[in-house]
Structure formats: C-alpha cells, structure tokens
Amino acid sequence: MRTKVAILGAGFITDIHIESYHRFIPEAEVVAVYARNKDKAKAHAEKYHIAQWYDNVDELLEKSGCDVVDICLPNFLHAEVTLKAAKAGKHVIIEKPLAVTLEEADAMIDACKKANVKLMYAEELCFAPKYERVRHLVKEGAVGKVFMLKQSEKHSGPHGDWFYDIRQAGGGVLMDMGCHAFGWFFWMLNNAKVKSVSASMATVLHNGRTQGEDNSVVIVEFENGVTALAENSWAKHGGMDDKSEVYGTEGVIYADLFMGNAALAYSKNGYGYAMEKADTTAGWSFPIFEEVFNQGYPHELKHFIECVQQNKEPLVTGELGRAVLEVIYAAYASAGQGKKIELPFRPKVEKPVDLWLKK
C-alpha cells in the first residue's frame, strides 16, 4: 500500500519535495496539489502528472483521499492549514519554520496530539548525509567533548516575493534560514536546554524590498556548556553557502554541504544551472550534482512516510520546531535590546521580527 500525499504549495520547495517523492520514495504517491492560485495549481499538477489539483484546502482534505498533507506554504498559513488537516485526520509534514508565533506552534502540537496524527517537522539538516556523518563521528567520540558548534547558511536572497514580506514570513533571514542552524544545534546536542541567546542583525542589501533583516549573527549558549554560532545572510553573492563546524577537546570537523558535492567548471558564455541561488554561470562555477539528495530531502520524507506506515515516532517533531521558534524570538529580542536574552522566553507578539523592529 502506498501512502497518499497531498502537496500544499507551488513554489521552489514544492519542486524539491515532489522530486524526492517521485525519484526516491516509491512507498508514497503524490495524489493532489494545492495552490492559492488556481492556474498555478493546475500548471503544477500537469507539470508533474498529478491527478488532482485544488485551490481550496477544505475541498482537498475532503475529496483528495490523501493520508498525509505536506505543507510547503508561506509561514503565515502553516498554523491554519495544520489545524484543518488535524481535524480531518491527516498526518502533517511541515516545512520550516513550524509557525510564526509560539501560540500557533502550541496550538498545532496540541491539535495533532488530540487527533492522534503525526506532526513531522521537515528540518532537512537532520537528514543531510554529510551532516549526519558529522553527527555520528561526534557520537563515536571522534572529537572528544564538544564545546562549540557553528552553522552558516548564506545566499543572495529567496526565490519567492513573500519571504520579503514580514507580515507573511514573520521576519527576515532568521525566520527563513536561522531556523536550520538552531534545529541542527538541538539535533547535535540531543535537545539540550538553551541558557541564553545573543544576536546582531541588520538589513544591508535588500533595504528597498523588506523591513526584515537580511544578515544576522546569533550566539546560543546551552546549559551543558556548549556555545553555538549561527551566521545567516541574504546578502552573500555567488550561490548557496551551507557549512557546519564542530569543535571538541580532542578534534574538529568541518563540513561544506555544497562545495564537497560540486565539480569545478569554467565557461566563457555560461550554461544552464550550477547550484541554488547562483545568478550566473559565466567564468568559474561549481556545478552541483544530486543537489536534492545531498541536502537530505529524500531521506527526511522517506522517514516520515515510514513513520506513517509503521506508526513510528518521527525523529524530528513539532516540539523541535517550537524550540527553534523560541530561540528565534530570543534572537530578535536580543538584537532589539542589545543584550543577552535568557530562556525560557515567551513574549506575546504578532510576529517575531517585531521584537527587533520595536527596538
């Protein structure tokens, strides 16, 4: 029996999820696609030979016959759609960040528990093969006692316009990519508790397009003594940059998610596609191979489908997404107030970036 999946969204990340299902997960069948724009929904369904398409979530939940909804929608829609899916008895795979506010996150977790459906948080860095190799080396004791982690993700800006709208996204680069670093820190440290958060952020490149930050540096201090540094930017040119570092008393590990999986090429006139966010292929470039696989998307989604079929607890759950969101809150507040913020931290705000903008 193949698990029936409905994809909600028609943007860049949706393409990645559909490629993962079609190429790597024969246990799943994508039976429907949803987009807010009817023409986009239809075009996406036709592009990927998906039988059903919808521009109404309620209708999809009622008629598509799906077992799982895979939510690849703008952040402000995550909570609303998850609550509807839970009420309809559908399992939920949800792209980062879990929600815009902590109140939404709590409601989503509670609704899925009450409906006895799984809430599976799609943090692909917990499944990326190279990063998982790093984690297992650490578990083997390769670097001794870990005292510092670093993770950075940088490029020149998102694919979709909605990312720049703080009303839809809840913030800027921290909501978009900082969540990866924080999720990876928790994953590496077995969900250790956070002691404090310090942050600095600014809008340095996209001033005319967003009120949110496009460059940030965040220091997270954990109660177990580990210091973690997250660097995130929408202001770095030349394509995607995703790196991690682990420092221990007996060694160090460096992992570059993209450059270790690329060829080196020179082209006088340029060519088609090199890597995510690369705006030119003229001159020297780094053409990526199996980009989706190396980032961990197939492994993540295959695990989630397995959890549904075998009624297993997911390795990455809504609780991780909520913990990440609390760190994001603290980072915005730290940058806004110019001081460390201790956790637990739960101010009531409309969107996390307000804690910075109201400085």
Side-chain angles (χ1 to χ4, degrees):
M1 294 292 292
R2 301 174 76 190
T3 298
K4 296 180 179 179
V5 178
I7 296 277
L8 277 60
F12 175 79
I13 193 64
T14 310
D15 292 321
I16 290 176
H17 280 225
I18 293 175
E19 178 184 344
S20 297
Y21 287 118
H22 284 179
R23 291 187 59 203
F24 300 105
I25 313 172
E27 303 89 347
E29 178 187 5
V30 180
V31 297
V33 63
Y34 159 87
R36 289 175 289 170
N37 180 294
K38 183 182 295 186
D39 294 333
K40 281 188 176 181
K42 183 180 180 181
H44 223 60
E46 290 175 349
K47 176 182 178 181
Y48 291 108
H49 308 289
I50 298 170
Q52 304 175 70
W53 56 269
Y54 298 87
D55 64 349
N56 182 291
V57 171
D58 296 316
E59 188 178 354
L60 177 145
L61 292 171
E62 180 184 350
K63 297 180 179 180
S64 70
C66 69
D67 307 301
V68 177
V69 293
D70 186 338
I71 301 173
C72 301
L73 295 167
N75 303 345
F76 78 103
L77 295 171
H78 285 193
E80 174 188 343
V81 175
T82 298
L83 296 181
K84 286 184 175 183
K87 187 175 181 181
K90 311 298 184 183
H91 300 288
V92 176
I93 296 171
I94 188 156
E95 263 295 335
K96 55 76 188 172
L98 181 67
V100 172
T101 68
L102 288 171
E103 288 80 12
E104 288 178 342
D106 288 336
M108 292 160 68
I109 293 168
D110 185 58
C112 289
K113 283 183 177 177
K114 287 182 177 177
N116 196 30
V117 296
K118 300 183 188 302
L119 178 58
M120 298 170 280
Y121 181 57
E123 177 45 73
E124 78 273 7
L125 291 192
C126 298
F127 296 88
K130 186 179 289 188
Y131 279 13
E132 274 296 85
R133 178 64 172 143
V134 170
R135 189 172 69 95
H136 285 287
L137 287 171
V138 171
K139 287 175 68 176
E140 289 176 25
V143 298
K145 181 177 174 58
V146 174
F147 61 84
M148 186 167 71
L149 299 173
K150 291 178 68 177
Q151 202 278 328
S152 66
E153 186 171 340
K154 304 171 185 177
H155 56 61
S156 57
H159 295 281
D161 290 336
W162 69 264
F163 286 93
Y164 296 96
D165 183 352
I166 59 174
R167 294 167 300 176
Q168 296 188 63
V173 71
L174 205 60
M175 289 290 284
D176 179 28
M177 302 196 302
C179 52
H180 288 308
F182 306 142
W184 185 71
F185 296 156
F186 282 118
W187 183 239
M188 288 293 294
L189 300 175
N190 298 313
N191 295 313
K193 290 187 177 181
V194 173
K195 179 182 177 183
S196 68
V197 177
S198 307
S200 174
M201 60 189 67
T203 313
V204 299
L205 182 63
H206 300 285
N207 308 72
R209 195 171 184 186
T210 184
Q211 294 176 274
E213 77 296 346
D214 62 11
N215 198 75
S216 67
V217 178
V218 182
I219 298 172
V220 183
E221 295 180 317
F222 287 86
E223 290 185 358
N224 62 5
V226 175
T227 300
L229 175 65
E231 299 177 356
N232 297 102
S233 185
W234 285 345
K236 179 262 177 189
H237 296 287
M240 176 71 84
D241 188 12
D242 196 314
K243 299 175 182 175
S244 69
E245 302 175 14
V246 181
Y247 296 86
T249 55
E250 306 293 332
V252 63
I253 307 172
Y254 302 108
D256 190 318
L257 199 59
F258 283 78
M259 290 305 171
N261 300 302
L264 179 63
Y266 180 85
S267 173
K268 290 178 66 176
N269 301 316
Y271 54 94
Y273 181 87
M275 66 185 300
E276 185 180 347
K277 305 298 194 305
D279 53 6
T280 181
T281 54
W284 287 105
S285 61
F286 301 91
I288 297 289
F289 65 91
E290 288 294 3
E291 190 172 25
V292 168
F293 183 89
N294 289 320
Q295 290 184 75
Y297 289 102
H299 316 72
E300 153 189 279
L301 296 173
K302 192 177 185 72
H303 167 70
F304 290 155
I305 295 301
E306 184 181 278
C307 288
V308 170
Q309 291 183 343
Q310 300 179 21
N311 194 25
K312 293 165 54 176
E313 181 68 13
L315 293 172
V316 186
T317 65
E319 281 78 7
L320 175 66
R322 190 208 180 280
V324 166
L325 191 56
E326 186 177 9
V327 174
I328 289 174
Y329 267 50
Y332 279 121
S334 173
Q337 299 177 34
K339 66 177 185 180
K340 280 186 182 180
I341 301 295
E342 295 186 352
L343 269 63
F345 182 68
R346 186 172 177 161
K348 190 171 180 60
V349 291
E350 182 181 332
K351 51 191 179 297
V353 73
D354 290 345
L355 295 163
W356 174 58
L357 292 175
K358 294 179 179 177
K359 57 183 182 285

Short mmCIF file of all heavy atoms in Angstrom, two decimals, residues 282-312:
data_model
loop_
_atom_site.label_atom_id
_atom_site.label_comp_id
_atom_site.label_asym_id
_atom_site.label_seq_id
_atom_site.Cartn_x
_atom_site.Cartn_y
_atom_site.Cartn_z
N ALA A 282 28.74 32.13 -15.95
CA ALA A 282 29.89 32.56 -16.74
C ALA A 282 31.12 32.60 -15.85
O ALA A 282 31.05 32.91 -14.65
CB ALA A 282 29.64 33.93 -17.34
N GLY A 283 32.29 32.28 -16.43
CA GLY A 283 33.52 32.24 -15.65
C GLY A 283 33.60 30.95 -14.86
O GLY A 283 33.07 29.92 -15.25
N TRP A 284 34.29 30.99 -13.72
CA TRP A 284 34.42 29.80 -12.87
C TRP A 284 33.13 29.58 -12.10
O TRP A 284 32.52 30.52 -11.59
CB TRP A 284 35.58 29.97 -11.89
CG TRP A 284 36.93 29.85 -12.53
CD1 TRP A 284 37.80 30.88 -12.82
CD2 TRP A 284 37.56 28.65 -12.97
NE1 TRP A 284 38.92 30.39 -13.42
CE2 TRP A 284 38.82 29.02 -13.53
CE3 TRP A 284 37.20 27.31 -12.97
CZ2 TRP A 284 39.70 28.10 -14.06
CZ3 TRP A 284 38.07 26.38 -13.50
CH2 TRP A 284 39.31 26.77 -14.05
N SER A 285 32.72 28.32 -11.99
CA SER A 285 31.50 27.99 -11.25
C SER A 285 31.63 26.59 -10.66
O SER A 285 32.55 25.85 -10.98
CB SER A 285 30.26 28.08 -12.16
OG SER A 285 30.36 27.16 -13.22
N PHE A 286 30.66 26.26 -9.82
CA PHE A 286 30.66 24.98 -9.11
C PHE A 286 29.36 24.23 -9.39
O PHE A 286 28.42 24.31 -8.60
CB PHE A 286 30.83 25.20 -7.61
CG PHE A 286 32.08 25.93 -7.24
CD1 PHE A 286 32.09 27.32 -7.13
CD2 PHE A 286 33.26 25.24 -7.00
CE1 PHE A 286 33.25 28.00 -6.80
CE2 PHE A 286 34.43 25.91 -6.66
CZ PHE A 286 34.43 27.30 -6.57
N PRO A 287 29.26 23.54 -10.52
CA PRO A 287 28.03 22.80 -10.82
C PRO A 287 27.81 21.64 -9.85
O PRO A 287 28.66 20.78 -9.67
CB PRO A 287 28.23 22.29 -12.24
CG PRO A 287 29.71 22.33 -12.47
CD PRO A 287 30.25 23.43 -11.62
N ILE A 288 26.65 21.66 -9.21
CA ILE A 288 26.27 20.67 -8.20
C ILE A 288 25.68 19.44 -8.88
O ILE A 288 25.03 19.54 -9.92
CB ILE A 288 25.23 21.27 -7.24
CG1 ILE A 288 25.83 22.46 -6.47
CG2 ILE A 288 24.68 20.24 -6.29
CD1 ILE A 288 26.85 22.08 -5.45
N PHE A 289 25.87 18.27 -8.28
CA PHE A 289 25.14 17.08 -8.72
C PHE A 289 24.35 16.51 -7.56
O PHE A 289 24.75 16.63 -6.40
CB PHE A 289 26.10 16.03 -9.30
CG PHE A 289 27.07 15.44 -8.30
CD1 PHE A 289 26.76 14.30 -7.59
CD2 PHE A 289 28.30 16.05 -8.07
CE1 PHE A 289 27.65 13.75 -6.67
CE2 PHE A 289 29.20 15.52 -7.15
CZ PHE A 289 28.87 14.36 -6.45
N GLU A 290 23.20 15.94 -7.85
CA GLU A 290 22.28 15.37 -6.86
C GLU A 290 22.06 16.32 -5.67
O GLU A 290 22.19 15.96 -4.51
CB GLU A 290 22.79 14.01 -6.37
CG GLU A 290 22.67 12.90 -7.40
CD GLU A 290 21.23 12.55 -7.74
OE1 GLU A 290 20.30 13.21 -7.23
OE2 GLU A 290 21.03 11.62 -8.53
N GLU A 291 21.72 17.56 -6.01
CA GLU A 291 21.56 18.61 -5.00
C GLU A 291 20.49 18.25 -3.96
O GLU A 291 20.69 18.39 -2.76
CB GLU A 291 21.21 19.92 -5.70
CG GLU A 291 21.26 21.14 -4.81
CD GLU A 291 21.10 22.42 -5.62
OE1 GLU A 291 20.51 22.37 -6.72
OE2 GLU A 291 21.57 23.46 -5.15
N VAL A 292 19.34 17.80 -4.44
CA VAL A 292 18.24 17.46 -3.53
C VAL A 292 18.63 16.32 -2.60
O VAL A 292 18.37 16.38 -1.39
CB VAL A 292 16.99 17.09 -4.36
CG1 VAL A 292 15.91 16.47 -3.49
CG2 VAL A 292 16.44 18.33 -5.07
N PHE A 293 19.27 15.30 -3.14
CA PHE A 293 19.69 14.16 -2.33
C PHE A 293 20.69 14.57 -1.26
O PHE A 293 20.58 14.20 -0.09
CB PHE A 293 20.31 13.08 -3.23
CG PHE A 293 20.70 11.82 -2.51
CD1 PHE A 293 19.80 10.79 -2.36
CD2 PHE A 293 21.97 11.67 -1.97
CE1 PHE A 293 20.14 9.62 -1.68
CE2 PHE A 293 22.33 10.51 -1.29
CZ PHE A 293 21.42 9.49 -1.15
N ASN A 294 21.68 15.36 -1.65
CA ASN A 294 22.74 15.75 -0.71
C ASN A 294 22.25 16.66 0.41
O ASN A 294 22.85 16.72 1.48
CB ASN A 294 23.89 16.42 -1.47
CG ASN A 294 24.67 15.44 -2.31
OD1 ASN A 294 24.92 14.30 -1.89
ND2 ASN A 294 25.06 15.82 -3.51
N GLN A 295 21.15 17.36 0.17
CA GLN A 295 20.59 18.22 1.21
C GLN A 295 19.70 17.45 2.18
O GLN A 295 19.27 18.02 3.19
CB GLN A 295 19.80 19.36 0.58
CG GLN A 295 20.68 20.38 -0.12
CD GLN A 295 19.88 21.54 -0.64
OE1 GLN A 295 19.45 22.42 0.09
NE2 GLN A 295 19.65 21.56 -1.95
N GLY A 296 19.39 16.21 1.89
CA GLY A 296 18.67 15.38 2.85
C GLY A 296 17.17 15.29 2.67
O GLY A 296 16.50 14.63 3.47
N TYR A 297 16.62 15.93 1.63
CA TYR A 297 15.16 15.92 1.48
C TYR A 297 14.57 14.53 1.27
O TYR A 297 13.58 14.16 1.93
CB TYR A 297 14.75 16.85 0.33
CG TYR A 297 14.94 18.32 0.63
CD1 TYR A 297 16.03 19.01 0.11
CD2 TYR A 297 14.04 19.01 1.43
CE1 TYR A 297 16.21 20.36 0.39
CE2 TYR A 297 14.21 20.35 1.71
CZ TYR A 297 15.30 21.03 1.18
OH TYR A 297 15.49 22.35 1.47
N PRO A 298 15.13 13.70 0.39
CA PRO A 298 14.54 12.36 0.22
C PRO A 298 14.61 11.53 1.50
O PRO A 298 13.65 10.80 1.82
CB PRO A 298 15.40 11.73 -0.88
CG PRO A 298 16.02 12.88 -1.60
CD PRO A 298 16.23 13.92 -0.56
N HIS A 299 15.71 11.63 2.22
CA HIS A 299 15.88 10.85 3.46
C HIS A 299 14.85 11.27 4.50
O HIS A 299 14.24 10.42 5.18
CB HIS A 299 17.28 11.06 4.02
CG HIS A 299 18.36 11.02 2.99
ND1 HIS A 299 18.55 12.04 2.07
CD2 HIS A 299 19.32 10.10 2.71
CE1 HIS A 299 19.57 11.73 1.28
NE2 HIS A 299 20.04 10.56 1.64
N GLU A 300 14.64 12.57 4.60
CA GLU A 300 13.67 13.11 5.55
C GLU A 300 12.27 12.65 5.22
O GLU A 300 11.54 12.12 6.08
CB GLU A 300 13.79 14.64 5.49
CG GLU A 300 12.58 15.45 5.85
CD GLU A 300 12.80 16.91 5.51
OE1 GLU A 300 13.46 17.58 6.32
OE2 GLU A 300 12.35 17.39 4.45
N LEU A 301 11.84 12.82 3.97
CA LEU A 301 10.48 12.48 3.59
C LEU A 301 10.24 10.97 3.61
O LEU A 301 9.16 10.51 3.97
CB LEU A 301 10.18 13.06 2.20
CG LEU A 301 10.19 14.60 2.14
CD1 LEU A 301 10.05 15.08 0.71
CD2 LEU A 301 9.11 15.20 3.02
N LYS A 302 11.25 10.19 3.22
CA LYS A 302 11.13 8.73 3.29
C LYS A 302 10.92 8.28 4.74
O LYS A 302 10.10 7.40 5.03
CB LYS A 302 12.38 8.08 2.71
CG LYS A 302 12.25 6.57 2.47
CD LYS A 302 13.51 6.03 1.81
CE LYS A 302 13.36 4.56 1.44
NZ LYS A 302 12.47 4.35 0.29
N HIS A 303 11.66 8.91 5.66
CA HIS A 303 11.49 8.60 7.09
C HIS A 303 10.08 8.93 7.56
O HIS A 303 9.45 8.15 8.27
CB HIS A 303 12.52 9.36 7.92
CG HIS A 303 12.24 9.35 9.39
ND1 HIS A 303 12.37 8.20 10.16
CD2 HIS A 303 11.80 10.32 10.24
CE1 HIS A 303 12.04 8.49 11.41
NE2 HIS A 303 11.69 9.75 11.48
N PHE A 304 9.57 10.09 7.15
CA PHE A 304 8.24 10.49 7.58
C PHE A 304 7.15 9.54 7.06
O PHE A 304 6.21 9.19 7.77
CB PHE A 304 7.95 11.93 7.13
CG PHE A 304 8.76 12.99 7.84
CD1 PHE A 304 9.01 14.21 7.23
CD2 PHE A 304 9.26 12.77 9.10
CE1 PHE A 304 9.74 15.20 7.87
CE2 PHE A 304 10.01 13.74 9.76
CZ PHE A 304 10.25 14.96 9.13
N ILE A 305 7.28 9.12 5.80
CA ILE A 305 6.31 8.17 5.24
C ILE A 305 6.39 6.85 6.00
O ILE A 305 5.37 6.20 6.29
CB ILE A 305 6.56 7.97 3.74
CG1 ILE A 305 6.29 9.28 2.97
CG2 ILE A 305 5.69 6.84 3.20
CD1 ILE A 305 4.89 9.82 3.11
N GLU A 306 7.59 6.43 6.32
CA GLU A 306 7.78 5.20 7.10
C GLU A 306 7.11 5.31 8.47
O GLU A 306 6.50 4.35 8.96
CB GLU A 306 9.28 4.92 7.27
CG GLU A 306 9.60 3.62 7.98
CD GLU A 306 11.10 3.42 8.14
OE1 GLU A 306 11.73 2.96 7.16
OE2 GLU A 306 11.64 3.75 9.21
N CYS A 307 7.21 6.48 9.08
CA CYS A 307 6.57 6.70 10.39
C CYS A 307 5.06 6.56 10.29
O CYS A 307 4.42 6.01 11.20
CB CYS A 307 6.94 8.09 10.93
SG CYS A 307 8.64 8.23 11.49
N VAL A 308 4.48 7.05 9.20
CA VAL A 308 3.04 6.93 8.99
C VAL A 308 2.66 5.47 8.77
O VAL A 308 1.71 4.96 9.37
CB VAL A 308 2.59 7.80 7.80
CG1 VAL A 308 1.14 7.50 7.42
CG2 VAL A 308 2.75 9.28 8.14
N GLN A 309 3.41 4.78 7.93
CA GLN A 309 3.07 3.40 7.59
C GLN A 309 3.26 2.44 8.75
O GLN A 309 2.50 1.47 8.90
CB GLN A 309 3.91 2.95 6.39
CG GLN A 309 3.56 3.65 5.09
CD GLN A 309 4.36 3.14 3.92
OE1 GLN A 309 5.39 2.49 4.08
NE2 GLN A 309 3.90 3.42 2.71
N GLN A 310 4.27 2.69 9.57
CA GLN A 310 4.60 1.77 10.66
C GLN A 310 4.22 2.32 12.04
O GLN A 310 4.55 1.72 13.05
CB GLN A 310 6.10 1.45 10.62
CG GLN A 310 6.54 0.80 9.32
CD GLN A 310 8.03 0.51 9.29
OE1 GLN A 310 8.68 0.43 10.33
NE2 GLN A 310 8.58 0.32 8.09
N ASN A 311 3.56 3.47 12.05
CA ASN A 311 3.13 4.11 13.29
C ASN A 311 4.31 4.32 14.25
O ASN A 311 4.24 3.99 15.43
CB ASN A 311 2.03 3.31 13.98
CG ASN A 311 1.34 4.12 15.07
OD1 ASN A 311 1.32 5.35 15.05
ND2 ASN A 311 0.78 3.43 16.05
N LYS A 312 5.39 4.86 13.71
CA LYS A 312 6.58 5.15 14.50
C LYS A 312 6.63 6.64 14.87
O LYS A 312 6.07 7.48 14.17
CB LYS A 312 7.85 4.79 13.70
CG LYS A 312 8.03 3.31 13.45
CD LYS A 312 9.07 3.03 12.38
CE LYS A 312 10.40 3.69 12.66
NZ LYS A 312 11.42 3.32 11.64
#
